[in-house]
Structure formats: structure tokens, C-alpha cells
Amino acid sequence: MPGHDDSGPQAATVGDGVVPQLTAGASEGPTGSPSGSGRPAHRTKGSKAGTDKGPHTEGSSSPVADAAHPGNASGTKAAQATGTDTGSGAGTGGTTTKTSTPKPAAAAVAGDEIVGYASSKCVEVSARSGVDGSPLRLWGCDGKAWQKWVFKSDGSVRSMGLCLDIANASKSDGAAIQLATCNGGWAQRFNLNSSHDLVNTVIGKCVDAKDQGTANGTRLQLWSCGGTSNQKWHLG
């Protein structure tokens, strides 16, 4: 307007607000307030020029940290939090090797094998278990319980808790030799003498491989001692 001094600062009206005008040489700080010195206003502690991290979401890691340490990504942290075992040695990158505990060795079976001189085979319980009345036979030696025998002080010869026995307590040649429940009777008293006869100590007859057989499965019988090889035995 004529006669009005326009050299001073003016306020421009925009709606209901007022926009402040800066004087010559003044600068605007980050908050919009004028600074007479021209220096930038002091930043809030912890801020970093030129880096806009954006809103921080709880549980996530910053892009910079994730790029430098991929293992620190939120997914990996979750796996570590749940105790997941990746199989790698911590901090070394080595693979963890699991060692199995060896099984204890089976206990040795007590007793000795009774081996035929003619056949080089063992006296065996045909049922391969402690079955009363199971016939005895020749079979290839394998060290199993059904081929192991213990000579007891009462004159019995035992395997798996049962006794070597003459079937039906017969005194006849050809009577079957079997495994039976121990009863202390005369038909269960045997001795392996210095002549290598497996002989009943009461009637003096021998354990004999039937028909002088030497094959697996040959049955044993009672027979009068004759000194033949199918009646000769030794401990194995």
C-alpha cells in the first residue's frame, strides 16, 4: 500500500494458519525452527544420517545385521530357540558324529563238548533246548548250550539243567540215549574213562553212535562196549 513500509517480515495468511517468514540469511533446522547461526540443529541421540531404518518390528533383525550374519536371521533364531539340532558343531562348522555303545558279549556257556573220535562231531540234544525226552545225536560242533555238558560229582552228565539218560532205564542194547529230568537213578550215571568210553557206571555199557554212523543226525544208543571208534569220545 502507498506509504506503508514493506521492509519488515510479513505474515501471509493461509486459511486460518500463519506461515512464519524467515529473515535474510537465516536457515531452517530439522524441526522447522529458524537458526540464526546457519548450523544444522543437533540430531536426536541414536539417529544416523542418511539411513532410514523404517519402523522396527518386534522379533525381526535389521537388514544390515542380517546381511553380515545370515545365521542371525529371524527364522534361524526361531530354530535355535526351539532347540533344533542341525548336527553341526557349534562355532566350528564340523559335523557331530554319534558313536554307538557296543553290546555286551554273550556269557560263555558252562561245560564241555563231547566229541566222537570217528566222526569229529559233537553229542547234541536234538531239540536244541532243555526238553525232557529229547534224543541225543551227532552234529557239527558249534559251541552252543545244547552241545555243552557238565560232569557232576554225583555221576550225572548235565546239559541245560537236565541229565544224560537211558530211555526207560533199559539195560538192553539199542536203548535210546536221551536228555531227561534229573532223578538220581542209575540210568543217569556215566563216566568218560581213560579208554575214552562214555560208559554207564552201573551196568558197564557204552554210549554208541548207531550203526557206526558219522553223519549229522546219527542217533546215540546204549550198546555193549566193544572198543570200536563209534564208541570213543573226548572232551572238546
Side-chain angles (χ1 to χ4, degrees):
M1 297 177 60
H4 184 74
D5 186 2
D6 294 334
S7 62
Q10 300 293 320
T13 301
V14 181
D16 294 332
V18 177
V19 179
Q21 300 295 316
L22 301 178
T23 60
S27 62
E28 183 179 356
T31 60
S33 60
S35 172
S37 65
R39 297 179 180 177
H42 183 68
R43 296 185 186 89
T44 302
K45 184 178 182 180
S47 63
K48 189 174 184 181
T51 302
D52 184 7
K53 295 183 179 180
H56 181 71
T57 304
E58 183 178 355
S60 64
S61 57
S62 69
V64 174
D66 289 345
H69 303 285
N72 291 335
S74 61
T76 303
K77 289 181 179 179
Q80 292 173 346
T82 58
T84 304
D85 184 5
T86 61
S88 298
T92 63
T95 302
T96 302
T97 302
K98 294 183 178 180
T99 57
S100 58
T101 303
K103 295 181 179 180
V109 179
D112 297 295
E113 295 168 329
I114 302 176
V115 184
Y117 270 99
S119 64
S120 296
K121 290 183 171 61
C122 285
V123 174
E124 177 182 273
V125 180
S126 59
R128 293 190 168 182
S129 62
V131 176
D132 184 29
S134 178
L136 303 189
R137 66 183 182 182
L138 294 179
W139 203 267
C141 301
D142 57 21
K144 299 296 177 61
W146 44 83
Q147 292 183 356
K148 291 295 184 76
W149 301 90
V150 177
F151 287 78
K152 305 293 284 186
S153 59
D154 62 359
S156 63
V157 182
R158 304 191 182 204
S159 177
M160 298 179 290
L162 280 72
C163 287
L164 190 150
D165 176 269
I166 303 171
N168 302 315
S170 174
K171 297 180 181 180
S172 301
D173 286 353
I177 303 298
Q178 63 181 8
L179 189 70
T181 301
C182 299
N183 55 33
W186 68 265
Q188 296 181 351
R189 296 182 183 178
F190 289 86
N191 180 47
L192 184 60
N193 63 27
S194 59
S195 297
H196 302 286
D197 300 320
L198 184 56
V199 61
N200 181 273
T201 57
V202 175
I203 63 173
K205 289 191 174 182
C206 288
V207 173
D208 175 282
K210 190 174 181 179
D211 299 327
Q212 298 189 349
T214 58
N216 280 346
T218 299
R219 293 293 177 89
L220 303 187
Q221 63 182 3
L222 183 71
W223 204 265
S224 297
C225 298
T228 54
S229 61
N230 62 315
Q231 294 181 352
K232 300 297 182 181
W233 312 91
H234 66 89
L235 300 180

